[in-house]
Amino acid sequence: MNDWEQLERLSGEAFALVLLRQDPVFGRIPPKKYGYYIRQGIRSGQQAAERWTLPGLARRLEEDGVEVCRSGETPPMDIHSEYCPAENGRAPVVRLYIPTLEKICAAAQRRGIPVTMEQLEQLHLAHEFYHHLEHSGAGDVSLTSEPVEIRLLGVIRRTRAVRSLREIAAHTFAQSVCASPCHPLVWDWLLLNEEDEDQAKAFLNLCRQAEQSVKGA
């Protein structure tokens, strides 16, 4: 089994843990609470996905006046897409960075992985659509989940939201609505493997470790 096939078979919970580990407050989360936050993010994405199809998603964006921009710019850090909410009279924008998606598509073709640009665009559009729902009143799962307590200077108590839950939910939503055979982060690995094999190996190992962690939870 090659690296791609291994990643394809990993669970959504494993990828959610990978995303959770990237959160600025991860070090403050008790290990026994990892499962809670993973479930919160995944559940939010799944529940939203039950109400939407790809055609319905496109209609809603049009009704809400959201501009879908297929940008030819090369973004920093190979960003795939982004959602810019309405601001100062400007309509909200979903921006898809075509050069990055083309890199992913080309990398997939070199490996014989069947995917089209249209499918990649739909996957990333769905991800950003989830963030549009957040800004349109559906709510922010990180704010409806338990905050994490931190201490400043060892004395002052503060709480912080686990913001990575939004990305866990958006990835789950996109994979479900698009009926994607693999988690969206697998495409990130494919691009990373083209540009930095050492980082790609490190990411693969991180995903494997996450799978073992969630299986043992």
Side-chain angles (χ1 to χ4, degrees):
M1 186 185 302
N2 61 37
D3 292 348
W4 170 266
E5 291 170 337
Q6 289 184 49
L7 283 167
E8 269 192 310
R9 287 164 171 73
L10 296 185
S11 65
E13 288 79 8
F15 288 108
L17 180 55
V18 169
L19 289 165
L20 186 65
R21 287 184 179 278
Q22 297 173 11
D23 196 286
V25 300
F26 177 76
R28 305 286 184 167
I29 302 175
K32 65 181 180 180
K33 297 289 289 185
Y34 295 169
Y36 163 77
Y37 288 110
I38 288 171
R39 289 190 296 273
Q40 286 291 98
I42 290 177
R43 185 184 301 117
S44 180
Q46 288 175 337
Q47 288 176 344
E50 290 172 0
R51 301 190 291 272
W52 293 96
T53 62
L54 280 172
L57 178 156
R59 286 194 299 271
R60 173 65 182 269
L61 289 174
E62 184 176 357
E63 290 169 1
D64 289 357
V66 179
E67 178 187 357
V68 178
C69 173
R70 290 170 172 79
S71 175
E73 297 178 10
T74 301
M77 305 298 289
D78 280 323
I79 295 172
H80 302 44
S81 58
E82 63 181 339
Y83 175 73
C84 304
E87 186 177 40
N88 299 326
R90 184 193 64 193
V93 177
V94 169
R95 188 169 287 108
L96 304 176
Y97 288 101
I98 300 304
T100 304
L101 299 186
E102 287 176 340
K103 286 183 184 179
I104 295 173
C105 193
Q109 290 173 353
R110 282 190 285 273
R111 284 177 166 260
I113 299 167
V115 70
T116 65
M117 275 294 292
E118 181 181 10
Q119 289 171 320
L120 290 173
E121 286 187 27
Q122 288 175 341
L123 188 67
H124 289 83
L125 185 67
H127 180 106
E128 304 308 336
F129 178 81
Y130 179 85
H131 291 314
H132 176 62
L133 290 179
E134 291 178 317
H135 285 272
S136 302
D140 180 338
V141 63
S142 70
L143 299 181
T144 56
S145 301
E146 294 178 17
V148 173
E149 182 179 290
I150 64 172
R151 289 179 181 270
L152 303 177
L153 304 176
V155 179
I156 305 170
R157 298 173 62 183
R158 293 287 187 271
T159 58
R160 296 288 185 271
V162 183
R163 305 296 293 174
S164 59
L165 297 188
R166 299 178 61 227
E167 289 303 296
I168 293 172
H171 281 310
T172 301
F173 176 85
Q175 183 178 7
S176 182
V177 168
C178 296
S180 174
C182 64
H183 191 277
L185 282 186
V186 181
W187 300 110
D188 289 359
W189 172 84
L190 189 63
L191 181 57
L192 185 62
N193 194 56
E194 290 278 307
E195 300 179 346
D196 191 323
E197 289 188 5
D198 289 338
Q199 285 195 34
K201 288 178 182 177
F203 179 76
L204 176 60
N205 288 332
L206 186 64
C207 292
R208 288 170 175 160
Q209 293 167 10
E211 182 79 332
Q212 292 303 312
S213 295
V214 297
K215 281 183 176 178

